[in-house]
Amino acid sequence: MASDVAAVKVRRRTATPAPVRPRDAEKTKASILKAARDEFCEEGFNGARVDAIADRAKANKRLLYHYFGNKEALYQAVLLDAYQEIRRGERELRISQYDPVEAVDRIIRFTFRHFLANPWFPRLLSVENLQNAKFVKQIKDLDEIRSPIVGELQEIVKRGHAEGTFRTDVDPMQLYISIISLCYFYVSNMQTLSVVFGKDLSQFALIQDREAQAVQMVVDYLRTRR
């Protein structure tokens, strides 16, 4: 009996302590950003609540404040992350390697598909526009949210003109805004447009038609002689 008790004491003294699970800071921050993005898109900036974001992320609210500071800073981080994501995609297009028509085609299809795959992005932009771009203005390095496509479009149009394909009286910024508009509106208003026209605009065939028409409209405009 005494020997059994002694053996237990020895095991307790020599037992390996339970390992402490390391905190994955980057994973936690990513979860909080995703949860915050969903909350802001669904509730708007004013309606979003930090408690709700923490619950969505399954994270301690103290960690949220530790990583991001406050609700305003978290919202700004969500905005910046959203812009950085689409800009990374645009840079990866490497459109300068393509002929002018194909380059424009690829820009339009990428933009349309990015909105389609990330319907939260148009909603987030709508939230920020309701804030009169208050938080976008506070981003320190605006180059992080400016599209590289504008400068690339200028070169594409020049090449297209040199080949006798495109007109030259094109403002690349206005052209890019037109491309965004053709892609953005369909996605951001898909639900209401489906009701108005009595058609489910989320059908794959209709999405394909819309993408093809956007490409055709822009390319035909660029080919119009003046």
Side-chain angles (χ1 to χ4, degrees):
M1 184 72 171
S3 61
D4 290 342
V5 172
V8 170
K9 289 181 178 179
V10 170
R11 284 199 299 271
R12 285 177 178 174
R13 286 198 299 269
T14 59
T16 303
V20 177
R21 189 170 62 181
R23 179 185 298 165
D24 189 336
E26 293 307 312
K27 184 177 180 180
T28 301
K29 285 193 282 188
S31 296
I32 292 172
L33 274 178
K34 168 67 166 58
R37 186 187 75 195
D38 293 344
E39 177 75 5
F40 287 125
C41 287
E42 291 177 19
E43 305 298 333
F45 175 76
N46 294 325
R49 296 289 179 266
V50 171
D51 285 340
I53 294 170
D55 287 343
R56 284 175 183 262
K58 295 180 173 58
N60 189 303
K61 190 166 68 170
R62 291 181 180 179
L63 275 181
L64 186 152
Y65 285 120
H66 172 70
Y67 289 135
F68 296 100
N70 54 34
K71 175 181 169 180
E72 289 76 11
L74 177 56
Y75 173 70
Q76 191 174 35
V78 168
L79 273 177
L80 181 58
D81 184 67
Y83 274 111
Q84 287 173 331
E85 182 178 341
I86 190 171
R87 299 313 174 223
R88 282 194 298 270
E90 289 175 338
R91 285 191 290 271
E92 289 170 4
L93 287 175
R94 305 184 189 282
I95 56 175
S96 61
Q97 64 183 302
Y98 302 107
D99 69 73
V101 172
E102 185 175 357
V104 171
D105 183 296
R106 285 174 177 267
I107 291 171
I108 297 167
R109 292 184 191 278
F110 165 79
T111 304
F112 184 71
R113 292 174 188 181
H114 184 83
F115 289 147
L116 198 64
N118 303 282
W120 56 265
F121 188 42
R123 290 198 293 271
L124 184 64
L125 296 182
S126 296
V127 170
E128 179 59 7
N129 276 291
L130 288 173
Q131 299 297 316
N132 295 313
K134 173 183 176 181
F135 293 94
V136 167
K137 292 174 184 175
Q138 295 175 18
I139 294 176
K140 294 179 180 178
D141 188 357
L142 288 177
D143 285 340
E144 291 193 69
I145 67 171
R146 290 190 176 117
S147 175
I149 294 296
V150 177
E152 290 174 317
L153 279 172
Q154 188 170 23
E155 294 305 313
I156 290 168
V157 171
K158 285 182 180 179
R159 284 198 289 121
H161 179 70
E163 295 173 10
T165 304
F166 288 166
R167 60 200 288 172
T168 56
D169 59 333
V170 176
D171 182 326
M173 182 192 73
Q174 293 289 357
L175 177 59
Y176 183 60
I177 292 174
S178 295
I179 290 172
I180 294 173
S181 301
L182 287 168
C183 301
Y184 180 101
F185 188 81
Y186 188 92
V187 176
S188 66
N189 293 271
M190 185 180 290
Q191 302 305 319
T192 52
L193 290 173
S194 294
V195 174
V196 169
F197 294 113
K199 291 184 178 181
D200 180 5
L201 297 187
S202 67
Q203 294 179 67
F204 185 65
L206 292 178
I207 289 173
Q208 282 187 311
D209 288 344
R210 180 58 193 167
E211 182 180 80
Q213 185 163 123
V215 171
Q216 183 177 357
M217 290 177 72
V218 175
V219 172
D220 285 353
Y221 161 73
L222 288 170
R223 282 174 165 162
T224 302
R225 295 291 181 182
R226 285 192 67 179

mmCIF file of all heavy atoms in Angstrom, residues 56-100:
data_model
loop_
_atom_site.group_PDB
_atom_site.id
_atom_site.type_symbol
_atom_site.label_atom_id
_atom_site.label_comp_id
_atom_site.label_asym_id
_atom_site.label_seq_id
_atom_site.Cartn_x
_atom_site.Cartn_y
_atom_site.Cartn_z
ATOM 1 N N ARG A 56 -18.484 36.122 -34.173
ATOM 2 C CA ARG A 56 -18.344 35.508 -35.498
ATOM 3 C C ARG A 56 -16.966 34.867 -35.662
ATOM 4 O O ARG A 56 -16.829 33.801 -36.262
ATOM 5 C CB ARG A 56 -18.529 36.568 -36.593
ATOM 6 C CG ARG A 56 -19.952 37.021 -36.878
ATOM 7 C CD ARG A 56 -19.913 38.144 -37.905
ATOM 8 N NE ARG A 56 -21.211 38.705 -38.214
ATOM 9 C CZ ARG A 56 -21.967 38.385 -39.262
ATOM 10 N NH1 ARG A 56 -21.524 37.473 -40.102
ATOM 11 N NH2 ARG A 56 -23.122 38.967 -39.475
ATOM 12 N N ALA A 57 -15.949 35.555 -35.158
ATOM 13 C CA ALA A 57 -14.569 35.082 -35.307
ATOM 14 C C ALA A 57 -14.196 34.030 -34.274
ATOM 15 O O ALA A 57 -13.119 33.436 -34.358
ATOM 16 C CB ALA A 57 -13.607 36.266 -35.205
ATOM 17 N N LYS A 58 -15.099 33.831 -33.288
ATOM 18 C CA LYS A 58 -14.795 32.936 -32.163
ATOM 19 C C LYS A 58 -13.467 33.347 -31.509
ATOM 20 O O LYS A 58 -12.599 32.509 -31.221
ATOM 21 C CB LYS A 58 -14.749 31.477 -32.626
ATOM 22 C CG LYS A 58 -16.096 30.956 -33.132
ATOM 23 C CD LYS A 58 -15.989 29.514 -33.573
ATOM 24 C CE LYS A 58 -17.365 28.932 -33.920
ATOM 25 N NZ LYS A 58 -18.073 29.685 -34.971
ATOM 26 N N ALA A 59 -13.345 34.647 -31.332
ATOM 27 C CA ALA A 59 -12.115 35.212 -30.763
ATOM 28 C C ALA A 59 -12.439 36.037 -29.535
ATOM 29 O O ALA A 59 -13.548 36.564 -29.389
ATOM 30 C CB ALA A 59 -11.408 36.083 -31.799
ATOM 31 N N ASN A 60 -11.483 36.143 -28.659
ATOM 32 C CA ASN A 60 -11.617 36.979 -27.473
ATOM 33 C C ASN A 60 -11.657 38.443 -27.896
ATOM 34 O O ASN A 60 -10.837 38.887 -28.703
ATOM 35 C CB ASN A 60 -10.422 36.730 -26.537
ATOM 36 C CG ASN A 60 -10.605 37.403 -25.193
ATOM 37 O OD1 ASN A 60 -10.787 38.614 -25.115
ATOM 38 N ND2 ASN A 60 -10.537 36.626 -24.134
ATOM 39 N N LYS A 61 -12.603 39.190 -27.352
ATOM 40 C CA LYS A 61 -12.725 40.604 -27.729
ATOM 41 C C LYS A 61 -11.454 41.383 -27.395
ATOM 42 O O LYS A 61 -11.097 42.335 -28.091
ATOM 43 C CB LYS A 61 -13.943 41.226 -27.051
ATOM 44 C CG LYS A 61 -14.275 42.624 -27.585
ATOM 45 C CD LYS A 61 -15.660 43.078 -27.165
ATOM 46 C CE LYS A 61 -15.760 43.329 -25.685
ATOM 47 N NZ LYS A 61 -17.036 43.999 -25.323
ATOM 48 N N ARG A 62 -10.770 40.968 -26.326
ATOM 49 C CA ARG A 62 -9.529 41.649 -25.968
ATOM 50 C C ARG A 62 -8.477 41.491 -27.056
ATOM 51 O O ARG A 62 -7.702 42.414 -27.329
ATOM 52 C CB ARG A 62 -8.996 41.102 -24.641
ATOM 53 C CG ARG A 62 -9.849 41.475 -23.427
ATOM 54 C CD ARG A 62 -9.247 40.925 -22.157
ATOM 55 N NE ARG A 62 -10.039 41.277 -20.987
ATOM 56 C CZ ARG A 62 -9.750 40.904 -19.755
ATOM 57 N NH1 ARG A 62 -8.672 40.139 -19.544
ATOM 58 N NH2 ARG A 62 -10.516 41.256 -18.736
ATOM 59 N N LEU A 63 -8.457 40.314 -27.692
ATOM 60 C CA LEU A 63 -7.519 40.105 -28.791
ATOM 61 C C LEU A 63 -7.853 41.009 -29.960
ATOM 62 O O LEU A 63 -6.963 41.539 -30.636
ATOM 63 C CB LEU A 63 -7.562 38.637 -29.246
ATOM 64 C CG LEU A 63 -6.694 37.639 -28.493
ATOM 65 C CD1 LEU A 63 -6.860 36.252 -29.105
ATOM 66 C CD2 LEU A 63 -5.235 38.059 -28.510
ATOM 67 N N LEU A 64 -9.135 41.170 -30.213
ATOM 68 C CA LEU A 64 -9.570 42.049 -31.301
ATOM 69 C C LEU A 64 -9.037 43.464 -31.086
ATOM 70 O O LEU A 64 -8.467 44.071 -32.006
ATOM 71 C CB LEU A 64 -11.096 42.044 -31.379
ATOM 72 C CG LEU A 64 -11.761 42.789 -32.540
ATOM 73 C CD1 LEU A 64 -13.110 42.153 -32.860
ATOM 74 C CD2 LEU A 64 -11.976 44.264 -32.213
ATOM 75 N N TYR A 65 -9.213 43.965 -29.877
ATOM 76 C CA TYR A 65 -8.709 45.311 -29.570
ATOM 77 C C TYR A 65 -7.180 45.338 -29.599
ATOM 78 O O TYR A 65 -6.578 46.336 -30.012
ATOM 79 C CB TYR A 65 -9.218 45.764 -28.200
ATOM 80 C CG TYR A 65 -10.672 46.172 -28.199
ATOM 81 C CD1 TYR A 65 -11.594 45.515 -27.386
ATOM 82 C CD2 TYR A 65 -11.121 47.211 -29.010
ATOM 83 C CE1 TYR A 65 -12.939 45.894 -27.378
ATOM 84 C CE2 TYR A 65 -12.453 47.593 -29.004
ATOM 85 C CZ TYR A 65 -13.362 46.936 -28.192
ATOM 86 O OH TYR A 65 -14.688 47.311 -28.202
ATOM 87 N N HIS A 66 -6.552 44.241 -29.169
ATOM 88 C CA HIS A 66 -5.090 44.180 -29.156
ATOM 89 C C HIS A 66 -4.531 44.278 -30.570
ATOM 90 O O HIS A 66 -3.550 44.998 -30.820
ATOM 91 C CB HIS A 66 -4.634 42.874 -28.501
ATOM 92 C CG HIS A 66 -3.163 42.620 -28.609
ATOM 93 N ND1 HIS A 66 -2.217 43.355 -27.925
ATOM 94 C CD2 HIS A 66 -2.468 41.708 -29.358
ATOM 95 C CE1 HIS A 66 -1.009 42.921 -28.230
ATOM 96 N NE2 HIS A 66 -1.140 41.914 -29.086
ATOM 97 N N TYR A 67 -5.143 43.543 -31.504
ATOM 98 C CA TYR A 67 -4.624 43.513 -32.868
ATOM 99 C C TYR A 67 -5.022 44.733 -33.700
ATOM 100 O O TYR A 67 -4.260 45.181 -34.556
ATOM 101 C CB TYR A 67 -5.113 42.249 -33.584
ATOM 102 C CG TYR A 67 -4.492 40.969 -33.092
ATOM 103 C CD1 TYR A 67 -5.278 39.838 -32.844
ATOM 104 C CD2 TYR A 67 -3.124 40.870 -32.875
ATOM 105 C CE1 TYR A 67 -4.718 38.654 -32.388
ATOM 106 C CE2 TYR A 67 -2.543 39.685 -32.421
ATOM 107 C CZ TYR A 67 -3.344 38.588 -32.181
ATOM 108 O OH TYR A 67 -2.791 37.418 -31.740
ATOM 109 N N PHE A 68 -6.223 45.260 -33.471
ATOM 110 C CA PHE A 68 -6.741 46.295 -34.366
ATOM 111 C C PHE A 68 -7.040 47.636 -33.691
ATOM 112 O O PHE A 68 -7.248 48.624 -34.389
ATOM 113 C CB PHE A 68 -7.994 45.779 -35.076
ATOM 114 C CG PHE A 68 -7.710 44.606 -35.976
ATOM 115 C CD1 PHE A 68 -7.976 43.313 -35.562
ATOM 116 C CD2 PHE A 68 -7.152 44.798 -37.227
ATOM 117 C CE1 PHE A 68 -7.704 42.231 -36.378
ATOM 118 C CE2 PHE A 68 -6.879 43.727 -38.064
ATOM 119 C CZ PHE A 68 -7.150 42.432 -37.635
ATOM 120 N N GLY A 69 -7.097 47.680 -32.401
ATOM 121 C CA GLY A 69 -7.274 48.959 -31.714
ATOM 122 C C GLY A 69 -8.704 49.280 -31.353
ATOM 123 O O GLY A 69 -9.068 49.316 -30.184
ATOM 124 N N ASN A 70 -9.550 49.508 -32.357
ATOM 125 C CA ASN A 70 -10.952 49.836 -32.106
ATOM 126 C C ASN A 70 -11.774 49.535 -33.351
ATOM 127 O O ASN A 70 -11.240 49.051 -34.365
ATOM 128 C CB ASN A 70 -11.109 51.314 -31.695
ATOM 129 C CG ASN A 70 -10.486 52.267 -32.709
ATOM 130 O OD1 ASN A 70 -10.503 52.011 -33.920
ATOM 131 N ND2 ASN A 70 -9.916 53.367 -32.230
ATOM 132 N N LYS A 71 -13.051 49.799 -33.289
ATOM 133 C CA LYS A 71 -13.957 49.481 -34.395
ATOM 134 C C LYS A 71 -13.562 50.220 -35.672
ATOM 135 O O LYS A 71 -13.551 49.636 -36.765
ATOM 136 C CB LYS A 71 -15.390 49.839 -34.000
ATOM 137 C CG LYS A 71 -16.417 49.677 -35.104
ATOM 138 C CD LYS A 71 -17.801 50.095 -34.604
ATOM 139 C CE LYS A 71 -18.793 50.206 -35.743
ATOM 140 N NZ LYS A 71 -20.136 50.609 -35.281
ATOM 141 N N GLU A 72 -13.216 51.499 -35.545
ATOM 142 C CA GLU A 72 -12.849 52.296 -36.714
ATOM 143 C C GLU A 72 -11.594 51.756 -37.388
ATOM 144 O O GLU A 72 -11.528 51.632 -38.622
ATOM 145 C CB GLU A 72 -12.637 53.758 -36.314
ATOM 146 C CG GLU A 72 -13.902 54.515 -35.937
ATOM 147 C CD GLU A 72 -14.421 54.167 -34.548
ATOM 148 O OE1 GLU A 72 -13.695 53.485 -33.776
ATOM 149 O OE2 GLU A 72 -15.558 54.552 -34.224
ATOM 150 N N ALA A 73 -10.599 51.421 -36.575
ATOM 151 C CA ALA A 73 -9.349 50.894 -37.128
ATOM 152 C C ALA A 73 -9.574 49.522 -37.773
ATOM 153 O O ALA A 73 -8.964 49.199 -38.801
ATOM 154 C CB ALA A 73 -8.294 50.806 -36.032
ATOM 155 N N LEU A 74 -10.452 48.725 -37.178
ATOM 156 C CA LEU A 74 -10.764 47.413 -37.739
ATOM 157 C C LEU A 74 -11.469 47.558 -39.082
ATOM 158 O O LEU A 74 -11.147 46.857 -40.051
ATOM 159 C CB LEU A 74 -11.635 46.629 -36.765
ATOM 160 C CG LEU A 74 -12.121 45.249 -37.229
ATOM 161 C CD1 LEU A 74 -10.946 44.368 -37.629
ATOM 162 C CD2 LEU A 74 -12.942 44.581 -36.129
ATOM 163 N N TYR A 75 -12.406 48.472 -39.159
ATOM 164 C CA TYR A 75 -13.112 48.719 -40.420
ATOM 165 C C TYR A 75 -12.140 49.176 -41.499
ATOM 166 O O TYR A 75 -12.198 48.721 -42.646
ATOM 167 C CB TYR A 75 -14.198 49.773 -40.194
ATOM 168 C CG TYR A 75 -14.887 50.227 -41.454
ATOM 169 C CD1 TYR A 75 -15.745 49.384 -42.154
ATOM 170 C CD2 TYR A 75 -14.678 51.515 -41.952
ATOM 171 C CE1 TYR A 75 -16.378 49.803 -43.317
ATOM 172 C CE2 TYR A 75 -15.307 51.939 -43.107
ATOM 173 C CZ TYR A 75 -16.158 51.086 -43.785
ATOM 174 O OH TYR A 75 -16.774 51.491 -44.947
ATOM 175 N N GLN A 76 -11.230 50.061 -41.141
ATOM 176 C CA GLN A 76 -10.245 50.535 -42.107
ATOM 177 C C GLN A 76 -9.340 49.388 -42.562
ATOM 178 O O GLN A 76 -8.983 49.304 -43.748
ATOM 179 C CB GLN A 76 -9.392 51.649 -41.497
ATOM 180 C CG GLN A 76 -8.515 52.377 -42.513
ATOM 181 C CD GLN A 76 -7.801 53.566 -41.892
ATOM 182 O OE1 GLN A 76 -7.409 53.534 -40.734
ATOM 183 N NE2 GLN A 76 -7.634 54.619 -42.658
ATOM 184 N N ALA A 77 -8.994 48.481 -41.648
ATOM 185 C CA ALA A 77 -8.177 47.318 -42.009
ATOM 186 C C ALA A 77 -8.924 46.406 -42.981
ATOM 187 O O ALA A 77 -8.324 45.847 -43.913
ATOM 188 C CB ALA A 77 -7.795 46.538 -40.751
ATOM 189 N N VAL A 78 -10.231 46.276 -42.776
ATOM 190 C CA VAL A 78 -11.060 45.474 -43.683
ATOM 191 C C VAL A 78 -11.065 46.101 -45.076
ATOM 192 O O VAL A 78 -10.908 45.407 -46.088
ATOM 193 C CB VAL A 78 -12.499 45.351 -43.142
ATOM 194 C CG1 VAL A 78 -13.435 44.783 -44.208
ATOM 195 C CG2 VAL A 78 -12.529 44.482 -41.901
ATOM 196 N N LEU A 79 -11.238 47.405 -45.141
ATOM 197 C CA LEU A 79 -11.217 48.109 -46.426
ATOM 198 C C LEU A 79 -9.892 47.926 -47.146
ATOM 199 O O LEU A 79 -9.848 47.604 -48.341
ATOM 200 C CB LEU A 79 -11.458 49.605 -46.195
ATOM 201 C CG LEU A 79 -12.882 50.128 -46.152
ATOM 202 C CD1 LEU A 79 -12.865 51.619 -45.832
ATOM 203 C CD2 LEU A 79 -13.593 49.880 -47.480
ATOM 204 N N LEU A 80 -8.812 48.147 -46.432
ATOM 205 C CA LEU A 80 -7.485 48.045 -47.027
ATOM 206 C C LEU A 80 -7.232 46.632 -47.540
ATOM 207 O O LEU A 80 -6.718 46.447 -48.653
ATOM 208 C CB LEU A 80 -6.418 48.441 -46.007
ATOM 209 C CG LEU A 80 -4.961 48.400 -46.501
ATOM 210 C CD1 LEU A 80 -4.767 49.304 -47.704
ATOM 211 C CD2 LEU A 80 -4.014 48.783 -45.370
ATOM 212 N N ASP A 81 -7.604 45.641 -46.753
ATOM 213 C CA ASP A 81 -7.416 44.250 -47.149
ATOM 214 C C ASP A 81 -8.208 43.932 -48.419
ATOM 215 O O ASP A 81 -7.710 43.228 -49.310
ATOM 216 C CB ASP A 81 -7.853 43.332 -46.015
ATOM 217 C CG ASP A 81 -7.604 41.865 -46.326
ATOM 218 O OD1 ASP A 81 -6.437 41.467 -46.423
ATOM 219 O OD2 ASP A 81 -8.595 41.114 -46.469
ATOM 220 N N ALA A 82 -9.418 44.466 -48.527
ATOM 221 C CA ALA A 82 -10.255 44.228 -49.704
ATOM 222 C C ALA A 82 -9.635 44.839 -50.947
ATOM 223 O O ALA A 82 -9.598 44.216 -52.023
ATOM 224 C CB ALA A 82 -11.647 44.808 -49.477
ATOM 225 N N TYR A 83 -9.143 46.059 -50.837
ATOM 226 C CA TYR A 83 -8.492 46.713 -51.963
ATOM 227 C C TYR A 83 -7.204 45.988 -52.347
ATOM 228 O O TYR A 83 -6.903 45.806 -53.536
ATOM 229 C CB TYR A 83 -8.174 48.167 -51.626
ATOM 230 C CG TYR A 83 -9.312 49.124 -51.898
ATOM 231 C CD1 TYR A 83 -9.991 49.752 -50.859
ATOM 232 C CD2 TYR A 83 -9.704 49.416 -53.199
ATOM 233 C CE1 TYR A 83 -11.033 50.635 -51.103
ATOM 234 C CE2 TYR A 83 -10.736 50.293 -53.456
ATOM 235 C CZ TYR A 83 -11.405 50.918 -52.404
ATOM 236 O OH TYR A 83 -12.434 51.786 -52.659
ATOM 237 N N GLN A 84 -6.434 45.586 -51.364
ATOM 238 C CA GLN A 84 -5.169 44.904 -51.648
ATOM 239 C C GLN A 84 -5.402 43.591 -52.379
ATOM 240 O O GLN A 84 -4.614 43.216 -53.252
ATOM 241 C CB GLN A 84 -4.406 44.650 -50.343
ATOM 242 C CG GLN A 84 -3.799 45.905 -49.740
ATOM 243 C CD GLN A 84 -3.192 45.660 -48.372
ATOM 244 O OE1 GLN A 84 -3.634 44.770 -47.636
ATOM 245 N NE2 GLN A 84 -2.176 46.444 -48.015
ATOM 246 N N GLU A 85 -6.491 42.918 -52.046
ATOM 247 C CA GLU A 85 -6.796 41.638 -52.695
ATOM 248 C C GLU A 85 -7.045 41.806 -54.184
ATOM 249 O O GLU A 85 -6.485 41.078 -55.008
ATOM 250 C CB GLU A 85 -8.016 40.992 -52.033
ATOM 251 C CG GLU A 85 -8.365 39.637 -52.632
ATOM 252 C CD GLU A 85 -9.543 38.977 -51.945
ATOM 253 O OE1 GLU A 85 -9.869 39.376 -50.808
ATOM 254 O OE2 GLU A 85 -10.127 38.059 -52.539
ATOM 255 N N ILE A 86 -7.870 42.782 -54.557
ATOM 256 C CA ILE A 86 -8.157 42.965 -55.979
ATOM 257 C C ILE A 86 -6.946 43.520 -56.720
ATOM 258 O O ILE A 86 -6.694 43.178 -57.872
ATOM 259 C CB ILE A 86 -9.399 43.866 -56.199
ATOM 260 C CG1 ILE A 86 -9.813 43.814 -57.675
ATOM 261 C CG2 ILE A 86 -9.160 45.291 -55.730
ATOM 262 C CD1 ILE A 86 -11.141 44.490 -57.962
ATOM 263 N N ARG A 87 -6.146 44.353 -56.041
ATOM 264 C CA ARG A 87 -4.947 44.888 -56.696
ATOM 265 C C ARG A 87 -3.915 43.794 -56.964
ATOM 266 O O ARG A 87 -3.234 43.799 -57.981
ATOM 267 C CB ARG A 87 -4.321 46.007 -55.865
ATOM 268 C CG ARG A 87 -5.210 47.214 -55.639
ATOM 269 C CD ARG A 87 -5.886 47.717 -56.909
ATOM 270 N NE ARG A 87 -6.838 48.779 -56.628
ATOM 271 C CZ ARG A 87 -8.037 48.884 -57.172
ATOM 272 N NH1 ARG A 87 -8.448 47.973 -58.048
ATOM 273 N NH2 ARG A 87 -8.840 49.880 -56.872
ATOM 274 N N ARG A 88 -3.805 42.838 -56.033
ATOM 275 C CA ARG A 88 -2.901 41.702 -56.267
ATOM 276 C C ARG A 88 -3.334 40.933 -57.507
ATOM 277 O O ARG A 88 -2.508 40.546 -58.339
ATOM 278 C CB ARG A 88 -2.891 40.762 -55.057
ATOM 279 C CG ARG A 88 -2.051 41.238 -53.896
ATOM 280 C CD ARG A 88 -1.818 40.116 -52.885
ATOM 281 N NE ARG A 88 -3.057 39.635 -52.305
ATOM 282 C CZ ARG A 88 -3.603 40.135 -51.200
ATOM 283 N NH1 ARG A 88 -3.024 41.142 -50.563
ATOM 284 N NH2 ARG A 88 -4.725 39.632 -50.713
ATOM 285 N N GLY A 89 -4.626 40.713 -57.629
ATOM 286 C CA GLY A 89 -5.150 40.006 -58.789
ATOM 287 C C GLY A 89 -4.873 40.757 -60.082
ATOM 288 O O GLY A 89 -4.533 40.149 -61.107
ATOM 289 N N GLU A 90 -5.028 42.075 -60.049
ATOM 290 C CA GLU A 90 -4.771 42.881 -61.246
ATOM 291 C C GLU A 90 -3.304 42.804 -61.663
ATOM 292 O O GLU A 90 -2.990 42.694 -62.852
ATOM 293 C CB GLU A 90 -5.184 44.335 -60.989
ATOM 294 C CG GLU A 90 -6.688 44.530 -60.910
ATOM 295 C CD GLU A 90 -7.078 45.947 -60.539
ATOM 296 O OE1 GLU A 90 -6.235 46.670 -59.945
ATOM 297 O OE2 GLU A 90 -8.214 46.346 -60.827
ATOM 298 N N ARG A 91 -2.411 42.874 -60.671
ATOM 299 C CA ARG A 91 -0.983 42.795 -61.000
ATOM 300 C C ARG A 91 -0.606 41.437 -61.576
ATOM 301 O O ARG A 91 0.255 41.329 -62.456
ATOM 302 C CB ARG A 91 -0.141 43.105 -59.761
ATOM 303 C CG ARG A 91 -0.099 44.583 -59.398
ATOM 304 C CD ARG A 91 0.944 44.857 -58.338
ATOM 305 N NE ARG A 91 0.562 44.299 -57.047
ATOM 306 C CZ ARG A 91 -0.165 44.949 -56.141
ATOM 307 N NH1 ARG A 91 -0.589 46.184 -56.378
ATOM 308 N NH2 ARG A 91 -0.465 44.375 -54.981
ATOM 309 N N GLU A 92 -1.260 40.392 -61.090
ATOM 310 C CA GLU A 92 -0.962 39.042 -61.560
ATOM 311 C C GLU A 92 -1.435 38.801 -62.994
ATOM 312 O O GLU A 92 -1.022 37.820 -63.630
ATOM 313 C CB GLU A 92 -1.591 38.009 -60.629
ATOM 314 C CG GLU A 92 -0.896 37.929 -59.263
ATOM 315 C CD GLU A 92 -1.663 37.093 -58.256
ATOM 316 O OE1 GLU A 92 -2.702 36.514 -58.649
ATOM 317 O OE2 GLU A 92 -1.234 37.026 -57.089
ATOM 318 N N LEU A 93 -2.268 39.689 -63.526
ATOM 319 C CA LEU A 93 -2.735 39.535 -64.903
ATOM 320 C C LEU A 93 -1.587 39.663 -65.909
ATOM 321 O O LEU A 93 -1.594 39.023 -66.956
ATOM 322 C CB LEU A 93 -3.793 40.603 -65.231
ATOM 323 C CG LEU A 93 -5.171 40.436 -64.610
ATOM 324 C CD1 LEU A 93 -6.039 41.641 -64.929
ATOM 325 C CD2 LEU A 93 -5.841 39.156 -65.095
ATOM 326 N N ARG A 94 -0.620 40.536 -65.593
ATOM 327 C CA ARG A 94 0.533 40.777 -66.482
ATOM 328 C C ARG A 94 0.056 41.013 -67.917
ATOM 329 O O ARG A 94 0.516 40.362 -68.871
ATOM 330 C CB ARG A 94 1.508 39.603 -66.424
ATOM 331 C CG ARG A 94 1.986 39.271 -65.017
ATOM 332 C CD ARG A 94 3.019 38.162 -65.011
ATOM 333 N NE ARG A 94 3.314 37.711 -63.664
ATOM 334 C CZ ARG A 94 4.095 38.345 -62.783
ATOM 335 N NH1 ARG A 94 4.676 39.483 -63.145
ATOM 336 N NH2 ARG A 94 4.306 37.855 -61.576
ATOM 337 N N ILE A 95 -0.859 41.964 -68.063
ATOM 338 C CA ILE A 95 -1.530 42.143 -69.350
ATOM 339 C C ILE A 95 -0.641 42.738 -70.435
ATOM 340 O O ILE A 95 -0.993 42.694 -71.612
ATOM 341 C CB ILE A 95 -2.790 43.028 -69.184
ATOM 342 C CG1 ILE A 95 -2.425 44.370 -68.555
ATOM 343 C CG2 ILE A 95 -3.848 42.304 -68.382
ATOM 344 C CD1 ILE A 95 -3.571 45.318 -68.475
ATOM 345 N N SER A 96 0.520 43.294 -70.061
ATOM 346 C CA SER A 96 1.395 43.893 -71.072
ATOM 347 C C SER A 96 1.918 42.868 -72.071
ATOM 348 O O SER A 96 2.378 43.227 -73.159
ATOM 349 C CB SER A 96 2.579 44.597 -70.404
ATOM 350 O OG SER A 96 3.353 43.678 -69.655
ATOM 351 N N GLN A 97 1.830 41.574 -71.722
ATOM 352 C CA GLN A 97 2.343 40.531 -72.624
ATOM 353 C C GLN A 97 1.355 40.175 -73.728
ATOM 354 O O GLN A 97 1.704 39.435 -74.657
ATOM 355 C CB GLN A 97 2.677 39.279 -71.817
ATOM 356 C CG GLN A 97 1.467 38.622 -71.159
ATOM 357 C CD GLN A 97 1.826 37.432 -70.313
ATOM 358 O OE1 GLN A 97 2.424 36.473 -70.798
ATOM 359 N NE2 GLN A 97 1.479 37.482 -69.024
ATOM 360 N N TYR A 98 0.127 40.696 -73.650
ATOM 361 C CA TYR A 98 -0.897 40.332 -74.622
ATOM 362 C C TYR A 98 -1.121 41.446 -75.651
ATOM 363 O O TYR A 98 -0.808 42.610 -75.403
ATOM 364 C CB TYR A 98 -2.210 40.024 -73.904
ATOM 365 C CG TYR A 98 -2.087 38.918 -72.882
ATOM 366 C CD1 TYR A 98 -2.101 39.209 -71.512
ATOM 367 C CD2 TYR A 98 -1.944 37.590 -73.277
ATOM 368 C CE1 TYR A 98 -1.975 38.190 -70.570
ATOM 369 C CE2 TYR A 98 -1.817 36.570 -72.335
ATOM 370 C CZ TYR A 98 -1.828 36.882 -70.983
ATOM 371 O OH TYR A 98 -1.691 35.882 -70.057
ATOM 372 N N ASP A 99 -1.698 41.058 -76.780
ATOM 373 C CA ASP A 99 -2.056 42.079 -77.766
ATOM 374 C C ASP A 99 -3.174 42.945 -77.194
ATOM 375 O O ASP A 99 -3.867 42.528 -76.248
ATOM 376 C CB ASP A 99 -2.472 41.444 -79.091
ATOM 377 C CG ASP A 99 -3.795 40.699 -79.006
ATOM 378 O OD1 ASP A 99 -4.853 41.362 -78.931
ATOM 379 O OD2 ASP A 99 -3.779 39.451 -78.990
ATOM 380 N N PRO A 100 -3.357 44.168 -77.716
ATOM 381 C CA PRO A 100 -4.294 45.117 -77.104
ATOM 382 C C PRO A 100 -5.711 44.595 -76.882
ATOM 383 O O PRO A 100 -6.286 44.803 -75.811
ATOM 384 C CB PRO A 100 -4.276 46.291 -78.081
ATOM 385 C CG PRO A 100 -2.905 46.250 -78.674
ATOM 386 C CD PRO A 100 -2.593 44.782 -78.817
#
